[in-house]
Every structure is written in C-alpha cells, then in structure tokens.
C-alpha cells in the first residue's frame, strides 16, 4: 500500500518519469478533506490544497468527483463548493497556487473535470439548476463554457482521449437507465455524435483511456462486486460490444482506475 491511514481516494498521476512519478488524491486529515501529493519513495503526503477550512473551499466532494492533472503535469483542475454552489478551480502544481476560479451560470454542481491533451480546454460533468446532469466544455483562456450534451440523461465520469478527438463517459442513456444502471459511451468531438461502448445490466463507471487510445480501463459490478475491466476499442464491435477483459477479482470493490 502507498498510504496507510484515513481514506485516500481518486488518485491521478503527476509526471510519468520514474524519477518524478507522483500521485495527487483526496484524503481526510484532522477532520477535513484535502488534495495531497505523494511520491513513490516512501515519503509522507504533501498538502496541495487545504479543503473545508475556508469559505472558498467549503467542500471538495471526494466521493463524487475527482481532481484532474494536465498531460504535462503542470496544472490541476478540481471542483469545490463555495458560496452554496460549485466552482471549477485551476491550480498551478509547481508553485502550489490558484490560477483561476470559474463559476458558470445555470450550473449548481461540477464534477470530474478532464483536461484536453493540449491543456487549453476542460470537459466536466455539470448539474443544471433544473436537475439534469450533462457534459460541458470550457476554454481555460476565454472561460467560455458550452454544453456537449443537453438532455434528460445523467452523464458522468468524462475522460478525454490522448488524440483529443473523443470523450469516454458513463451514462444512463439506455433502456436500463430507468433502473439506475450506467453503461459506457463515447462522444466524438468533431462530429458531435455519441455511440455506446458497453451494454448490459450492470454499472460501468470511471472510464480511463490508455495512452494509445485503443483501450479503456473502468470499474464494473457485472460480476457482483466492483472490479476492474479493460475494453479493447481496437477490436471489432459485435452485438455484445467490444472485447472486454476482467483485470481483477476482489470481493471488496475497486474504483477509479488510472492507466
């Protein structure tokens, strides 16, 4: 184990070189939630963002959202409740300081941001005042926000592919969604089209792209307990979907995988 006390959830990789391999994640410390960073050398976690100790970061929502690290490892995006609604924060990881705080009209909740490969845009899941949860895209420079989906379905857990062309996400936009079941889908940014990637009476959550864009790793309860699976998008899509491989077999549940 890398950590040994409290809850430590939603890990994200910062720097993929062996000499600078670190994780950022949510953890509880002295009764509050914070975003911390840890190296693989056995050293103690270091605080990145202190949450729930000021009006600016009233709540970090560690169980329903995740932090996001840009591909170059320089920037952190996360959501936090402030003044009764969520804001999207951009954080300089090297200098450990806030760069931007973004609030969007008509949105009361923001979760699971994901960076574009060029770190100039962010896609996130947002809940509208009316209650519907859709995918939104925001330009970091102009702060202009637009919706990618706008319907009755609950779209969550977006992850941007390394080629910049696709967004994988989890949604109840299928017949089983009426029973609260989520499958995986793919949003084509250029075409504005959505296709299903998995199908079945299970919950498929937290997709994460491989570096080559050919596979997704995700968490699913299709075997009873939540375990990790990979989806081979390079294979032919049959009536049963793409080739899927079970990666783990646990009874306690595994969540939030990262390639």
């Amino acid at each position: 184990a890398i950590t040994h006390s409290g809850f430590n959830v939603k890990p994200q990789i910062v720097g993929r070189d062996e000499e600078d391999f670190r994780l950022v994640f949510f953890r509880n410390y002295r009764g509050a939630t914070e975003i911390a960073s840890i190296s693989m050398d056995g050293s103690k976690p270091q605080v990145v963002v202190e949450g729930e100790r000021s009006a600016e970061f009233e709540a970090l929502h560690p169980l329903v959202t995740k932090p996001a690290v840009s591909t170059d490892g320089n920037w952190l995006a996360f959501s936090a409740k402030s003044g009764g609604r969520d804001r999207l924060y951009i954080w300089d990881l090297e200098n450990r300081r806030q760069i931007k705080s973004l609030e969007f009209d008509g949105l009361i909740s923001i979760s699971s941001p994901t960076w574009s490969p060029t770190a100039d845009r962010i896609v996130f899941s947002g809940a509208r005042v009316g209650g519907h949860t859709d995918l939104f895209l925001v330009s970091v420079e102009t702060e202009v926000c637009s919706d990618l989906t706008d319907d009755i379905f609950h779209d969550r857990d977006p992850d941007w592919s390394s080629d910049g062309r696709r967004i994988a996400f989890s949604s109840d936009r299928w017949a089983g969604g009426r029973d609260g079941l989520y499958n995986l889908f793919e949003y084509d940014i250029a075409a504005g089209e959505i296709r299903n990637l998995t199908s079945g009476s299970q919950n498929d959550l937290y997709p994460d792209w491989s570096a080559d864009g050919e596979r997704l790793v995700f968490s699913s309860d299709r075997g009873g307990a939540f375990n990790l699976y990979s989806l081979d998008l390079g294979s032919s899509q049959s009536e049963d979907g793409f080739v899927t491989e079970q990666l783990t077999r646990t009874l306690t549940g595994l969540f939030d995988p990262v390639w």
Side-chain angles (χ1 to χ4, degrees):
I2 300 171
T3 58
H4 302 276
S5 62
F7 74 74
N8 305 273
V9 296
K10 310 290 183 179
Q12 296 292 303
I13 296 174
V14 183
R16 295 179 180 269
D17 296 334
E18 291 186 6
E19 296 181 357
D20 188 34
F21 187 87
R22 293 174 291 142
L23 300 176
V24 294
F25 58 98
F26 289 121
R27 72 165 183 165
N28 68 323
Y29 184 69
R30 295 181 178 176
T33 302
E34 62 188 22
I35 299 176
S37 172
I38 191 169
S39 299
M40 301 296 103
D41 58 6
S43 58
K44 294 181 178 180
Q46 302 295 314
V47 178
V48 178
V49 179
E50 290 188 346
E52 303 173 356
R53 292 185 174 90
S54 69
E56 187 169 22
F57 303 131
E58 295 173 23
L60 291 176
H61 315 310
L63 300 183
V64 296
T65 185
K66 65 179 181 180
V69 178
S70 60
T71 304
D72 58 16
N74 293 329
W75 311 107
L76 175 72
F78 63 95
S79 65
K81 182 180 178 181
S82 178
R85 64 191 304 170
D86 282 356
R87 293 174 180 264
L88 180 66
Y89 293 90
I90 311 297
W91 201 268
D92 182 334
L93 279 174
E94 181 177 355
N95 297 303
R96 301 200 175 189
R97 63 186 181 92
Q98 180 180 308
I99 301 299
K100 290 193 174 187
S101 169
L102 306 179
E103 182 179 349
F104 307 106
D105 292 338
L107 295 183
I108 58 174
S109 176
I110 296 171
S111 63
S112 300
T114 178
W115 288 93
S116 68
T118 50
D120 59 344
R121 294 175 293 169
I122 295 172
V123 165
F124 61 89
S125 177
R128 304 177 189 267
V129 173
H132 294 160
T133 300
D134 295 297
L135 300 183
F136 295 84
L137 184 150
V138 61
S139 166
V140 175
E141 180 179 357
T142 67
E143 303 181 8
V144 173
C145 182
S146 59
D147 51 41
L148 299 181
T149 61
D150 183 6
D151 47 44
I152 63 172
F153 304 110
H154 187 275
D155 300 328
R156 53 178 288 181
D157 307 332
D159 191 62
W160 208 316
S161 65
S162 60
D163 61 12
R165 296 164 39 211
R166 298 162 291 167
I167 305 291
F169 64 101
S170 181
S171 178
D172 62 357
R173 56 177 60 242
W174 67 292
R178 299 187 183 95
D179 298 320
L181 298 175
Y182 290 75
N183 282 177
L184 298 185
F185 296 82
E186 179 186 84
Y187 182 91
D188 185 305
I189 295 176
E193 298 176 346
I194 297 173
R195 67 166 176 167
N196 68 296
L197 300 179
T198 65
S199 60
S201 299
Q202 73 270 337
N203 285 297
D204 296 335
L205 308 173
Y206 316 117
D208 191 84
W209 289 98
S210 62
D212 60 10
E214 292 293 322
R215 293 174 294 168
L216 285 169
V217 63
F218 62 99
S219 178
S220 176
D221 65 355
R222 60 184 61 196
F226 275 97
N227 273 283
L228 303 187
Y229 295 78
S230 68
L231 189 68
D232 184 0
L233 298 181
S235 63
S236 299
Q237 186 175 17
S238 64
E239 293 183 359
D240 298 325
F242 294 98
V243 174
T244 303
E245 178 185 359
Q246 184 170 352
L247 303 178
T248 64
R249 299 181 185 276
T250 68
L251 299 177
T252 54
L254 294 173
F255 305 92
D256 305 306
V258 181
W259 279 102

